[in-house]
Structure formats: C-alpha cells, structure tokens
Amino acid sequence: METKISFREAKSCPVQFVLAVNDTLNVINGKWKLPIIGSLLFGKKRFTEIQRNISKITPRMLSKELKELELNGIVKRTVYNTTPVSVEYELTNSGKSIGDVLDKMLEWGLQHRQSVLSKP
Amino acid sequence: METKISFREAKSCPVQFVLAVNDTLNVINGKWKLPIIGSLLFGKKRFTEIQRNISKITPRMLSKELKELELNGIVKRTVYNTTPVSVEYELTNSGKSIGDVLDKMLEWGLQHRQSVLSKP
DNA sequence: TATAGCGCTATACTTTAGTATAGAAACCTA
DNA sequence: TAGGTTTCTATACTAAAGTATAGCGCTATA
C-alpha cells in the first residue's frame, strides 16, 4: 500500500488535494484552535495561563481543544507533580511549523481585505 | 481611522494576527468551500458541472456556498441570457491567489501526516 | 404531449459545535 | 477548619451547520 504522496501527485489530483488541505484545515478548525495555537506560538504555557490569555473560553472548551490538538500531534502536554499539579502545554515541531502556514494565511487575509475595500 | 495593517504589525499583535488569519479561514470554512474552490481552480464552470464534480453536495448547499463565496469576493458569477439561461462561476483574482495559501496547506498537511505516521 | 435538463428555492429535519453552570480531587495557607 | 488555586469533568442546554426531499419556471428534444 502506498501511503507517501508527493506534493506534485497531490496537486494534480483534485481528491488528494482536497484531502491533504483538509488535514490541515481540520487541525485549526473550530472557534478556539487558532487562538490556542497563537498563544502557544509565544512559548509554553500552563492551562490557566492560556485561559487568561483567551478571554471568554470556558475550561470545558479549552480542555477539549487541547486534547484534540494533542491527539493531532500539534501540542505536547507535560505534567509536573508539584502540589497542586501543574501542566504545561507546548507546540510540537509540527505545531511550530504550522506557523508558516498561518503566516501565509495572514498575508492573504490582509491582502484580500485591501482588495475588497478598494473595489466595493 | 487607520485600516491598513502591515504584515509586521499584524504578526506582532496576537489579536490582529488571529483576526487576519480568521479572515482567511472564514473564506474556506465549512464542508464544501474547499471542494468548490478546488473545482474552480481548474477553470470556470457552470452550476451543474460543479455539482457533478462534487459528488454528494446538494443543490441547496452548492447555491448557498457559491453565494457566500461571491459575497466574499472569491467567486464571480456571470449570467448569459441564452435559452435556457446559463450561469458561469469563476474565481476572482483574490480567489485565484488563495491557491498559494492552499498549496502551503497541502505541503504542511502531507508533511504532518508523514511525521505523525513515523512516530506513533 | 411527455420527459428531461438547468439553476435554483422552500420546508422540515438531524447532527455537530459551542455555552452555561456546577463541582470534584488534590493540596496549601490563614 | 474554611477558603483558595489548579486542572480539569459532568450535565444540560442552545445555536449553527448540514441533509433530505420536493418542486418551480423555463425550454429543448423525443
């Protein structure tokens, strides 16, 4: 079974293209993933720090989203047995590398906003 | 009022960063936007052509998503008064330029999948 | 005259995502 | 011993996204 697909293969096959781009989208989808990743791009953080960083997120959502991000290999969770226990979250290498993708999206977002504003 | 924000400004301000990246995400969010854009990256298409391209999309969804994409300045809709009327959809310049963003996402998606598979 | 294709819209429904609120288990401090 | 901090979990709810199904107005073709 062939699992490794090259960029060129994926780009020329609409199905593979959509699947691979969706992989990326799924990692950052939902209301809170982006703020969480954004917060962790500035360094490792503890649960409550992230919570304070992102006003209005409920602990239920933060916990749920962090779990998903961990499952997807974007975030690494480390428990220290201090008292009370402290937990640190940080981006994996994959997590850090998504920064480049976000930069591209940032760039396009700004550009697109300009082009929409200039011709209404 | 200052509306134009530079890449550097946005990158250094978490709030602006998340906002601008979200602009981009909103354009491609939902289950069907990506397949639709993907389909139009290969050239202009008619309603039924897109529908046939994307198996399982209902006309309700296709119509709704195309409207949103048009509103967001990604897709241009042209009506020809043939009989019966024919309608063509194509990507705007902004729509085409999102291709670069998708390529980045494709690249990361493939890379990430490899890194997840290699260390389970 | 019946059937089929085009480009949709309408209505009703189900599923998924997100919110609100409360509280538990562990320990520390006052 | 009461109250606070940390890192969550449980339950119940609302809102948003998506699906299923039917049909309309038009016209060309059989």
Side-chain angles (χ1 to χ4, degrees), chain A residues 105-120, chain B residues 1-6 10 15-24 26-27 72-74 94-95 97:
Chain A
M105 294 176 76
L106 171 60
E107 199 187 320
W108 186 89
L110 293 170
Q111 209 175 284
H112 177 63
R113 171 166 292 212
Q114 273 315 109
S115 91
V116 167
L117 288 176
S118 66
K119 35 179 172 178
Chain B
M1 195 173 84
E2 180 61 79
T3 52
K4 191 166 186 177
I5 291 156
S6 74
V15 174
Q16 289 304 327
F17 178 85
V18 169
L19 284 178
V21 176
N22 249 326
D23 275 2
T24 307
N26 286 335
V27 162
N72 283 329
I74 306 302
S94 239
S97 71

PDB file of all heavy atoms in Angstrom, chain A residues 105-120, chain B residues 1-6 10 15-24 26-27 72-74 94-95 97:
ATOM      1  N   MET A 105      -1.539  32.618   5.528  1.00  0.00           N
ATOM      2  CA  MET A 105      -2.944  32.965   5.646  1.00  0.00           C
ATOM      3  C   MET A 105      -3.108  34.412   6.096  1.00  0.00           C
ATOM      4  O   MET A 105      -4.002  35.125   5.634  1.00  0.00           O
ATOM      5  CB  MET A 105      -3.628  32.024   6.639  1.00  0.00           C
ATOM      6  CG  MET A 105      -3.653  30.609   6.141  1.00  0.00           C
ATOM      7  SD  MET A 105      -4.342  29.465   7.346  1.00  0.00           S
ATOM      8  CE  MET A 105      -6.066  29.859   7.179  1.00  0.00           C
ATOM      9  N   LEU A 106      -2.237  34.825   6.991  1.00  0.00           N
ATOM     10  CA  LEU A 106      -2.231  36.213   7.453  1.00  0.00           C
ATOM     11  C   LEU A 106      -2.020  37.158   6.281  1.00  0.00           C
ATOM     12  O   LEU A 106      -2.760  38.120   6.076  1.00  0.00           O
ATOM     13  CB  LEU A 106      -1.111  36.370   8.484  1.00  0.00           C
ATOM     14  CG  LEU A 106      -0.742  37.760   8.968  1.00  0.00           C
ATOM     15  CD1 LEU A 106      -1.924  38.439   9.622  1.00  0.00           C
ATOM     16  CD2 LEU A 106       0.427  37.691   9.949  1.00  0.00           C
ATOM     17  N   GLU A 107      -1.003  36.823   5.494  1.00  0.00           N
ATOM     18  CA  GLU A 107      -0.653  37.642   4.340  1.00  0.00           C
ATOM     19  C   GLU A 107      -1.842  37.759   3.383  1.00  0.00           C
ATOM     20  O   GLU A 107      -2.226  38.857   2.980  1.00  0.00           O
ATOM     21  CB  GLU A 107       0.525  36.960   3.636  1.00  0.00           C
ATOM     22  CG  GLU A 107       1.328  37.812   2.713  1.00  0.00           C
ATOM     23  CD  GLU A 107       2.350  36.941   1.970  1.00  0.00           C
ATOM     24  OE1 GLU A 107       2.949  36.034   2.608  1.00  0.00           O
ATOM     25  OE2 GLU A 107       2.505  37.139   0.756  1.00  0.00           O
ATOM     26  N   TRP A 108      -2.433  36.631   3.055  1.00  0.00           N
ATOM     27  CA  TRP A 108      -3.553  36.626   2.128  1.00  0.00           C
ATOM     28  C   TRP A 108      -4.736  37.380   2.717  1.00  0.00           C
ATOM     29  O   TRP A 108      -5.415  38.139   2.028  1.00  0.00           O
ATOM     30  CB  TRP A 108      -3.955  35.200   1.762  1.00  0.00           C
ATOM     31  CG  TRP A 108      -5.009  35.167   0.693  1.00  0.00           C
ATOM     32  CD1 TRP A 108      -4.784  35.150  -0.661  1.00  0.00           C
ATOM     33  CD2 TRP A 108      -6.431  35.183   0.864  1.00  0.00           C
ATOM     34  NE1 TRP A 108      -5.980  35.155  -1.331  1.00  0.00           N
ATOM     35  CE2 TRP A 108      -7.013  35.171  -0.416  1.00  0.00           C
ATOM     36  CE3 TRP A 108      -7.256  35.199   1.980  1.00  0.00           C
ATOM     37  CZ2 TRP A 108      -8.381  35.180  -0.616  1.00  0.00           C
ATOM     38  CZ3 TRP A 108      -8.633  35.210   1.798  1.00  0.00           C
ATOM     39  CH2 TRP A 108      -9.185  35.202   0.500  1.00  0.00           C
ATOM     40  N   GLY A 109      -4.983  37.157   3.998  1.00  0.00           N
ATOM     41  CA  GLY A 109      -6.106  37.818   4.673  1.00  0.00           C
ATOM     42  C   GLY A 109      -6.016  39.333   4.587  1.00  0.00           C
ATOM     43  O   GLY A 109      -6.999  40.007   4.256  1.00  0.00           O
ATOM     44  N   LEU A 110      -4.812  39.859   4.836  1.00  0.00           N
ATOM     45  CA  LEU A 110      -4.616  41.310   4.785  1.00  0.00           C
ATOM     46  C   LEU A 110      -4.789  41.828   3.360  1.00  0.00           C
ATOM     47  O   LEU A 110      -5.466  42.834   3.118  1.00  0.00           O
ATOM     48  CB  LEU A 110      -3.220  41.667   5.298  1.00  0.00           C
ATOM     49  CG  LEU A 110      -2.957  41.408   6.800  1.00  0.00           C
ATOM     50  CD1 LEU A 110      -1.482  41.582   7.113  1.00  0.00           C
ATOM     51  CD2 LEU A 110      -3.807  42.318   7.676  1.00  0.00           C
ATOM     52  N   GLN A 111      -4.180  41.113   2.432  1.00  0.00           N
ATOM     53  CA  GLN A 111      -4.228  41.474   1.024  1.00  0.00           C
ATOM     54  C   GLN A 111      -5.668  41.469   0.515  1.00  0.00           C
ATOM     55  O   GLN A 111      -6.112  42.399  -0.150  1.00  0.00           O
ATOM     56  CB  GLN A 111      -3.437  40.396   0.276  1.00  0.00           C
ATOM     57  CG  GLN A 111      -2.763  40.804  -0.987  1.00  0.00           C
ATOM     58  CD  GLN A 111      -1.950  39.605  -1.483  1.00  0.00           C
ATOM     59  OE1 GLN A 111      -0.874  39.288  -0.963  1.00  0.00           O
ATOM     60  NE2 GLN A 111      -2.515  38.895  -2.451  1.00  0.00           N
ATOM     61  N   HIS A 112      -6.365  40.401   0.870  1.00  0.00           N
ATOM     62  CA  HIS A 112      -7.748  40.242   0.409  1.00  0.00           C
ATOM     63  C   HIS A 112      -8.633  41.346   0.977  1.00  0.00           C
ATOM     64  O   HIS A 112      -9.460  41.916   0.270  1.00  0.00           O
ATOM     65  CB  HIS A 112      -8.273  38.875   0.827  1.00  0.00           C
ATOM     66  CG  HIS A 112      -9.697  38.638   0.462  1.00  0.00           C
ATOM     67  ND1 HIS A 112     -10.124  38.602  -0.847  1.00  0.00           N
ATOM     68  CD2 HIS A 112     -10.794  38.427   1.219  1.00  0.00           C
ATOM     69  CE1 HIS A 112     -11.426  38.382  -0.875  1.00  0.00           C
ATOM     70  NE2 HIS A 112     -11.866  38.271   0.373  1.00  0.00           N
ATOM     71  N   ARG A 113      -8.421  41.662   2.236  1.00  0.00           N
ATOM     72  CA  ARG A 113      -9.206  42.725   2.858  1.00  0.00           C
ATOM     73  C   ARG A 113      -9.002  44.040   2.107  1.00  0.00           C
ATOM     74  O   ARG A 113      -9.944  44.766   1.830  1.00  0.00           O
ATOM     75  CB  ARG A 113      -8.805  42.880   4.326  1.00  0.00           C
ATOM     76  CG  ARG A 113      -9.413  44.087   4.998  1.00  0.00           C
ATOM     77  CD  ARG A 113      -9.274  44.020   6.482  1.00  0.00           C
ATOM     78  NE  ARG A 113     -10.088  42.948   7.040  1.00  0.00           N
ATOM     79  CZ  ARG A 113     -10.648  42.998   8.248  1.00  0.00           C
ATOM     80  NH1 ARG A 113     -10.458  44.052   9.004  1.00  0.00           N
ATOM     81  NH2 ARG A 113     -11.364  42.003   8.694  1.00  0.00           N
ATOM     82  N   GLN A 114      -7.737  44.317   1.741  1.00  0.00           N
ATOM     83  CA  GLN A 114      -7.451  45.520   0.971  1.00  0.00           C
ATOM     84  C   GLN A 114      -8.178  45.507  -0.366  1.00  0.00           C
ATOM     85  O   GLN A 114      -8.782  46.485  -0.773  1.00  0.00           O
ATOM     86  CB  GLN A 114      -5.939  45.643   0.729  1.00  0.00           C
ATOM     87  CG  GLN A 114      -5.187  46.343   1.827  1.00  0.00           C
ATOM     88  CD  GLN A 114      -5.859  47.609   2.331  1.00  0.00           C
ATOM     89  OE1 GLN A 114      -6.380  47.638   3.439  1.00  0.00           O
ATOM     90  NE2 GLN A 114      -5.878  48.653   1.512  1.00  0.00           N
ATOM     91  N   SER A 115      -8.125  44.366  -1.045  1.00  0.00           N
ATOM     92  CA  SER A 115      -8.709  44.309  -2.389  1.00  0.00           C
ATOM     93  C   SER A 115     -10.229  44.403  -2.335  1.00  0.00           C
ATOM     94  O   SER A 115     -10.868  44.913  -3.250  1.00  0.00           O
ATOM     95  CB  SER A 115      -8.249  43.050  -3.121  1.00  0.00           C
ATOM     96  OG  SER A 115      -9.122  41.984  -2.907  1.00  0.00           O
ATOM     97  N   VAL A 116     -10.824  43.928  -1.244  1.00  0.00           N
ATOM     98  CA  VAL A 116     -12.274  44.042  -1.088  1.00  0.00           C
ATOM     99  C   VAL A 116     -12.659  45.489  -0.794  1.00  0.00           C
ATOM    100  O   VAL A 116     -13.623  46.026  -1.332  1.00  0.00           O
ATOM    101  CB  VAL A 116     -12.797  43.104   0.026  1.00  0.00           C
ATOM    102  CG1 VAL A 116     -14.232  43.451   0.405  1.00  0.00           C
ATOM    103  CG2 VAL A 116     -12.722  41.646  -0.420  1.00  0.00           C
ATOM    104  N   LEU A 117     -11.830  46.149   0.051  1.00  0.00           N
ATOM    105  CA  LEU A 117     -12.123  47.538   0.402  1.00  0.00           C
ATOM    106  C   LEU A 117     -11.948  48.489  -0.772  1.00  0.00           C
ATOM    107  O   LEU A 117     -12.683  49.453  -0.925  1.00  0.00           O
ATOM    108  CB  LEU A 117     -11.214  47.987   1.560  1.00  0.00           C
ATOM    109  CG  LEU A 117     -11.531  47.399   2.934  1.00  0.00           C
ATOM    110  CD1 LEU A 117     -10.497  47.844   3.958  1.00  0.00           C
ATOM    111  CD2 LEU A 117     -12.925  47.801   3.383  1.00  0.00           C
ATOM    112  N   SER A 118     -10.964  48.193  -1.643  1.00  0.00           N
ATOM    113  CA  SER A 118     -10.657  49.130  -2.710  1.00  0.00           C
ATOM    114  C   SER A 118     -11.679  49.108  -3.850  1.00  0.00           C
ATOM    115  O   SER A 118     -11.879  50.090  -4.523  1.00  0.00           O
ATOM    116  CB  SER A 118      -9.249  48.883  -3.242  1.00  0.00           C
ATOM    117  OG  SER A 118      -9.177  47.630  -3.879  1.00  0.00           O
ATOM    118  N   LYS A 119     -12.320  47.959  -4.075  1.00  0.00           N
ATOM    119  CA  LYS A 119     -13.393  47.919  -5.107  1.00  0.00           C
ATOM    120  C   LYS A 119     -14.668  47.329  -4.526  1.00  0.00           C
ATOM    121  O   LYS A 119     -14.830  46.117  -4.508  1.00  0.00           O
ATOM    122  CB  LYS A 119     -12.938  47.135  -6.342  1.00  0.00           C
ATOM    123  CG  LYS A 119     -12.028  45.962  -6.034  1.00  0.00           C
ATOM    124  CD  LYS A 119     -11.613  45.205  -7.266  1.00  0.00           C
ATOM    125  CE  LYS A 119     -10.556  44.186  -6.886  1.00  0.00           C
ATOM    126  NZ  LYS A 119     -10.046  43.323  -7.854  1.00  0.00           N
ATOM    127  N   PRO A 120     -15.547  48.206  -4.038  1.00  0.00           N
ATOM    128  CA  PRO A 120     -16.741  47.727  -3.356  1.00  0.00           C
ATOM    129  C   PRO A 120     -17.931  47.512  -4.298  1.00  0.00           C
ATOM    130  O   PRO A 120     -17.906  46.877  -5.253  1.00  0.00           O
ATOM    131  CB  PRO A 120     -17.078  48.865  -2.406  1.00  0.00           C
ATOM    132  CG  PRO A 120     -16.409  50.097  -2.970  1.00  0.00           C
ATOM    133  CD  PRO A 120     -15.511  49.668  -4.113  1.00  0.00           C
TER     134      PRO A 120
ATOM    135  N   MET B   1      -9.091  57.278  10.637  1.00  0.00           N
ATOM    136  CA  MET B   1      -9.076  55.872  11.084  1.00  0.00           C
ATOM    137  C   MET B   1      -8.085  55.071  10.238  1.00  0.00           C
ATOM    138  O   MET B   1      -8.098  55.132   9.009  1.00  0.00           O
ATOM    139  CB  MET B   1     -10.483  55.277  10.951  1.00  0.00           C
ATOM    140  CG  MET B   1     -10.664  53.990  11.702  1.00  0.00           C
ATOM    141  SD  MET B   1     -12.388  53.440  11.680  1.00  0.00           S
ATOM    142  CE  MET B   1     -12.468  52.592  10.104  1.00  0.00           C
ATOM    143  N   GLU B   2      -7.240  54.345  10.907  1.00  0.00           N
ATOM    144  CA  GLU B   2      -6.249  53.530  10.193  1.00  0.00           C
ATOM    145  C   GLU B   2      -6.819  52.153   9.892  1.00  0.00           C
ATOM    146  O   GLU B   2      -7.209  51.416  10.790  1.00  0.00           O
ATOM    147  CB  GLU B   2      -5.002  53.379  11.082  1.00  0.00           C
ATOM    148  CG  GLU B   2      -3.874  52.561  10.468  1.00  0.00           C
ATOM    149  CD  GLU B   2      -3.335  53.170   9.186  1.00  0.00           C
ATOM    150  OE1 GLU B   2      -2.549  54.125   9.266  1.00  0.00           O
ATOM    151  OE2 GLU B   2      -3.722  52.687   8.104  1.00  0.00           O
ATOM    152  N   THR B   3      -6.936  51.821   8.611  1.00  0.00           N
ATOM    153  CA  THR B   3      -7.485  50.495   8.276  1.00  0.00           C
ATOM    154  C   THR B   3      -6.408  49.548   7.758  1.00  0.00           C
ATOM    155  O   THR B   3      -6.497  48.354   7.940  1.00  0.00           O
ATOM    156  CB  THR B   3      -8.572  50.598   7.197  1.00  0.00           C
ATOM    157  OG1 THR B   3      -8.047  51.337   6.102  1.00  0.00           O
ATOM    158  CG2 THR B   3      -9.807  51.275   7.742  1.00  0.00           C
ATOM    159  N   LYS B   4      -5.377  50.117   7.118  1.00  0.00           N
ATOM    160  CA  LYS B   4      -4.372  49.256   6.506  1.00  0.00           C
ATOM    161  C   LYS B   4      -3.347  48.806   7.542  1.00  0.00           C
ATOM    162  O   LYS B   4      -2.645  49.620   8.141  1.00  0.00           O
ATOM    163  CB  LYS B   4      -3.684  49.989   5.362  1.00  0.00           C
ATOM    164  CG  LYS B   4      -2.827  49.080   4.519  1.00  0.00           C
ATOM    165  CD  LYS B   4      -2.443  49.723   3.216  1.00  0.00           C
ATOM    166  CE  LYS B   4      -1.701  48.752   2.304  1.00  0.00           C
ATOM    167  NZ  LYS B   4      -1.400  49.370   1.018  1.00  0.00           N
ATOM    168  N   ILE B   5      -3.289  47.519   7.723  1.00  0.00           N
ATOM    169  CA  ILE B   5      -2.383  46.969   8.718  1.00  0.00           C
ATOM    170  C   ILE B   5      -1.318  46.153   8.004  1.00  0.00           C
ATOM    171  O   ILE B   5      -1.617  45.343   7.125  1.00  0.00           O
ATOM    172  CB  ILE B   5      -3.166  46.079   9.714  1.00  0.00           C
ATOM    173  CG1 ILE B   5      -4.081  46.972  10.557  1.00  0.00           C
ATOM    174  CG2 ILE B   5      -2.230  45.288  10.603  1.00  0.00           C
ATOM    175  CD1 ILE B   5      -5.247  46.249  11.132  1.00  0.00           C
ATOM    176  N   SER B   6      -0.054  46.399   8.353  1.00  0.00           N
ATOM    177  CA  SER B   6       1.021  45.677   7.685  1.00  0.00           C
ATOM    178  C   SER B   6       1.186  44.293   8.275  1.00  0.00           C
ATOM    179  O   SER B   6       0.748  44.005   9.389  1.00  0.00           O
ATOM    180  CB  SER B   6       2.331  46.443   7.843  1.00  0.00           C
ATOM    181  OG  SER B   6       2.797  46.289   9.170  1.00  0.00           O
ATOM    182  N   ALA B  10       0.595  43.080  12.181  1.00  0.00           N
ATOM    183  CA  ALA B  10      -0.346  42.010  12.499  1.00  0.00           C
ATOM    184  C   ALA B  10       0.362  40.849  13.162  1.00  0.00           C
ATOM    185  O   ALA B  10      -0.161  40.225  14.090  1.00  0.00           O
ATOM    186  CB  ALA B  10      -1.060  41.546  11.235  1.00  0.00           C
ATOM    187  N   VAL B  15      -3.844  39.757  18.706  1.00  0.00           N
ATOM    188  CA  VAL B  15      -5.244  39.974  18.343  1.00  0.00           C
ATOM    189  C   VAL B  15      -5.380  40.181  16.840  1.00  0.00           C
ATOM    190  O   VAL B  15      -6.196  39.534  16.171  1.00  0.00           O
ATOM    191  CB  VAL B  15      -5.840  41.168  19.114  1.00  0.00           C
ATOM    192  CG1 VAL B  15      -7.242  41.469  18.623  1.00  0.00           C
ATOM    193  CG2 VAL B  15      -5.865  40.875  20.610  1.00  0.00           C
ATOM    194  N   GLN B  16      -4.568  41.083  16.276  1.00  0.00           N
ATOM    195  CA  GLN B  16      -4.599  41.323  14.830  1.00  0.00           C
ATOM    196  C   GLN B  16      -4.255  40.055  14.063  1.00  0.00           C
ATOM    197  O   GLN B  16      -4.845  39.762  13.023  1.00  0.00           O
ATOM    198  CB  GLN B  16      -3.618  42.441  14.434  1.00  0.00           C
ATOM    199  CG  GLN B  16      -4.046  43.825  14.886  1.00  0.00           C
ATOM    200  CD  GLN B  16      -5.431  44.210  14.389  1.00  0.00           C
ATOM    201  OE1 GLN B  16      -5.841  43.824  13.301  1.00  0.00           O
ATOM    202  NE2 GLN B  16      -6.174  44.942  15.206  1.00  0.00           N
ATOM    203  N   PHE B  17      -3.304  39.329  14.586  1.00  0.00           N
ATOM    204  CA  PHE B  17      -2.882  38.080  13.958  1.00  0.00           C
ATOM    205  C   PHE B  17      -4.056  37.134  13.816  1.00  0.00           C
ATOM    206  O   PHE B  17      -4.385  36.669  12.719  1.00  0.00           O
ATOM    207  CB  PHE B  17      -1.772  37.444  14.805  1.00  0.00           C
ATOM    208  CG  PHE B  17      -1.273  36.130  14.297  1.00  0.00           C
ATOM    209  CD1 PHE B  17      -0.280  36.077  13.328  1.00  0.00           C
ATOM    210  CD2 PHE B  17      -1.793  34.934  14.782  1.00  0.00           C
ATOM    211  CE1 PHE B  17       0.196  34.859  12.853  1.00  0.00           C
ATOM    212  CE2 PHE B  17      -1.332  33.715  14.305  1.00  0.00           C
ATOM    213  CZ  PHE B  17      -0.338  33.678  13.340  1.00  0.00           C
ATOM    214  N   VAL B  18      -4.723  36.880  14.948  1.00  0.00           N
ATOM    215  CA  VAL B  18      -5.850  35.944  14.928  1.00  0.00           C
ATOM    216  C   VAL B  18      -6.969  36.456  14.029  1.00  0.00           C
ATOM    217  O   VAL B  18      -7.572  35.699  13.264  1.00  0.00           O
ATOM    218  CB  VAL B  18      -6.357  35.666  16.359  1.00  0.00           C
ATOM    219  CG1 VAL B  18      -7.681  34.931  16.344  1.00  0.00           C
ATOM    220  CG2 VAL B  18      -5.327  34.850  17.139  1.00  0.00           C
ATOM    221  N   LEU B  19      -7.221  37.761  14.077  1.00  0.00           N
ATOM    222  CA  LEU B  19      -8.279  38.328  13.243  1.00  0.00           C
ATOM    223  C   LEU B  19      -8.016  38.126  11.758  1.00  0.00           C
ATOM    224  O   LEU B  19      -8.889  37.698  11.011  1.00  0.00           O
ATOM    225  CB  LEU B  19      -8.446  39.824  13.539  1.00  0.00           C
ATOM    226  CG  LEU B  19      -9.174  40.171  14.841  1.00  0.00           C
ATOM    227  CD1 LEU B  19      -9.218  41.676  15.044  1.00  0.00           C
ATOM    228  CD2 LEU B  19     -10.587  39.590  14.849  1.00  0.00           C
ATOM    229  N   ALA B  20      -6.779  38.446  11.337  1.00  0.00           N
ATOM    230  CA  ALA B  20      -6.474  38.370   9.908  1.00  0.00           C
ATOM    231  C   ALA B  20      -6.442  36.922   9.420  1.00  0.00           C
ATOM    232  O   ALA B  20      -6.917  36.617   8.323  1.00  0.00           O
ATOM    233  CB  ALA B  20      -5.147  39.055   9.600  1.00  0.00           C
ATOM    234  N   VAL B  21      -5.891  36.030  10.242  1.00  0.00           N
ATOM    235  CA  VAL B  21      -5.874  34.622   9.839  1.00  0.00           C
ATOM    236  C   VAL B  21      -7.310  34.093   9.774  1.00  0.00           C
ATOM    237  O   VAL B  21      -7.668  33.331   8.884  1.00  0.00           O
ATOM    238  CB  VAL B  21      -5.011  33.770  10.786  1.00  0.00           C
ATOM    239  CG1 VAL B  21      -5.081  32.308  10.406  1.00  0.00           C
ATOM    240  CG2 VAL B  21      -3.567  34.234  10.755  1.00  0.00           C
ATOM    241  N   ASN B  22      -8.124  34.558  10.696  1.00  0.00           N
ATOM    242  CA  ASN B  22      -9.526  34.159  10.696  1.00  0.00           C
ATOM    243  C   ASN B  22     -10.268  34.626   9.453  1.00  0.00           C
ATOM    244  O   ASN B  22     -11.128  33.916   8.951  1.00  0.00           O
ATOM    245  CB  ASN B  22     -10.231  34.705  11.938  1.00  0.00           C
ATOM    246  CG  ASN B  22     -10.585  33.576  12.884  1.00  0.00           C
ATOM    247  OD1 ASN B  22     -10.903  32.474  12.449  1.00  0.00           O
ATOM    248  ND2 ASN B  22     -10.531  33.854  14.165  1.00  0.00           N
ATOM    249  N   ASP B  23      -9.917  35.821   8.970  1.00  0.00           N
ATOM    250  CA  ASP B  23     -10.499  36.282   7.708  1.00  0.00           C
ATOM    251  C   ASP B  23     -10.318  35.227   6.641  1.00  0.00           C
ATOM    252  O   ASP B  23     -11.236  34.916   5.882  1.00  0.00           O
ATOM    253  CB  ASP B  23      -9.785  37.567   7.236  1.00  0.00           C
ATOM    254  CG  ASP B  23     -10.381  38.807   7.877  1.00  0.00           C
ATOM    255  OD1 ASP B  23     -11.310  38.669   8.693  1.00  0.00           O
ATOM    256  OD2 ASP B  23      -9.908  39.918   7.571  1.00  0.00           O
ATOM    257  N   THR B  24      -9.103  34.705   6.572  1.00  0.00           N
ATOM    258  CA  THR B  24      -8.796  33.698   5.563  1.00  0.00           C
ATOM    259  C   THR B  24      -9.552  32.402   5.841  1.00  0.00           C
ATOM    260  O   THR B  24     -10.146  31.810   4.942  1.00  0.00           O
ATOM    261  CB  THR B  24      -7.280  33.431   5.541  1.00  0.00           C
ATOM    262  OG1 THR B  24      -6.607  34.666   5.382  1.00  0.00           O
ATOM    263  CG2 THR B  24      -6.916  32.487   4.414  1.00  0.00           C
ATOM    264  N   ASN B  26     -12.302  31.987   7.402  1.00  0.00           N
ATOM    265  CA  ASN B  26     -13.740  32.120   7.162  1.00  0.00           C
ATOM    266  C   ASN B  26     -14.110  31.949   5.697  1.00  0.00           C
ATOM    267  O   ASN B  26     -15.203  31.500   5.383  1.00  0.00           O
ATOM    268  CB  ASN B  26     -14.241  33.473   7.670  1.00  0.00           C
ATOM    269  CG  ASN B  26     -14.304  33.498   9.176  1.00  0.00           C
ATOM    270  OD1 ASN B  26     -14.426  32.452   9.812  1.00  0.00           O
ATOM    271  ND2 ASN B  26     -14.202  34.683   9.761  1.00  0.00           N
ATOM    272  N   VAL B  27     -13.169  32.328   4.842  1.00  0.00           N
ATOM    273  CA  VAL B  27     -13.434  32.206   3.417  1.00  0.00           C
ATOM    274  C   VAL B  27     -13.514  30.743   2.988  1.00  0.00           C
ATOM    275  O   VAL B  27     -14.273  30.389   2.092  1.00  0.00           O
ATOM    276  CB  VAL B  27     -12.327  32.951   2.627  1.00  0.00           C
ATOM    277  CG1 VAL B  27     -12.282  32.502   1.187  1.00  0.00           C
ATOM    278  CG2 VAL B  27     -12.556  34.448   2.710  1.00  0.00           C
ATOM    279  N   ASN B  72     -17.913  37.172  -0.574  1.00  0.00           N
ATOM    280  CA  ASN B  72     -16.563  37.373  -0.062  1.00  0.00           C
ATOM    281  C   ASN B  72     -15.553  37.744  -1.144  1.00  0.00           C
ATOM    282  O   ASN B  72     -14.362  37.830  -0.877  1.00  0.00           O
ATOM    283  CB  ASN B  72     -16.078  36.115   0.661  1.00  0.00           C
ATOM    284  CG  ASN B  72     -16.686  35.995   2.038  1.00  0.00           C
ATOM    285  OD1 ASN B  72     -16.983  36.986   2.689  1.00  0.00           O
ATOM    286  ND2 ASN B  72     -16.880  34.763   2.489  1.00  0.00           N
ATOM    287  N   GLY B  73     -16.028  37.904  -2.366  1.00  0.00           N
ATOM    288  CA  GLY B  73     -15.136  38.316  -3.442  1.00  0.00           C
ATOM    289  C   GLY B  73     -14.181  37.250  -3.914  1.00  0.00           C
ATOM    290  O   GLY B  73     -13.097  37.540  -4.428  1.00  0.00           O
ATOM    291  N   ILE B  74     -14.577  35.986  -3.772  1.00  0.00           N
ATOM    292  CA  ILE B  74     -13.719  34.876  -4.194  1.00  0.00           C
ATOM    293  C   ILE B  74     -14.160  34.352  -5.546  1.00  0.00           C
ATOM    294  O   ILE B  74     -13.366  33.868  -6.331  1.00  0.00           O
ATOM    295  CB  ILE B  74     -13.815  33.724  -3.163  1.00  0.00           C
ATOM    296  CG1 ILE B  74     -13.514  34.225  -1.770  1.00  0.00           C
ATOM    297  CG2 ILE B  74     -12.912  32.561  -3.537  1.00  0.00           C
ATOM    298  CD1 ILE B  74     -12.175  34.846  -1.624  1.00  0.00           C
ATOM    299  N   SER B  94      -8.482  37.437  -6.361  1.00  0.00           N
ATOM    300  CA  SER B  94      -8.301  37.057  -4.967  1.00  0.00           C
ATOM    301  C   SER B  94      -8.524  35.554  -4.799  1.00  0.00           C
ATOM    302  O   SER B  94      -7.791  34.886  -4.085  1.00  0.00           O
ATOM    303  CB  SER B  94      -9.314  37.808  -4.097  1.00  0.00           C
ATOM    304  OG  SER B  94      -8.684  38.592  -3.124  1.00  0.00           O
ATOM    305  N   GLY B  95      -9.537  35.056  -5.471  1.00  0.00           N
ATOM    306  CA  GLY B  95      -9.839  33.633  -5.414  1.00  0.00           C
ATOM    307  C   GLY B  95      -8.706  32.782  -5.946  1.00  0.00           C
ATOM    308  O   GLY B  95      -8.359  31.746  -5.374  1.00  0.00           O
ATOM    309  N   SER B  97      -5.601  33.716  -6.090  1.00  0.00           N
ATOM    310  CA  SER B  97      -4.399  33.864  -5.264  1.00  0.00           C
ATOM    311  C   SER B  97      -4.476  33.043  -3.986  1.00  0.00           C
ATOM    312  O   SER B  97      -3.456  32.778  -3.345  1.00  0.00           O
ATOM    313  CB  SER B  97      -4.155  35.338  -4.926  1.00  0.00           C
ATOM    314  OG  SER B  97      -5.110  35.802  -4.005  1.00  0.00           O
TER     315      SER B  97
END
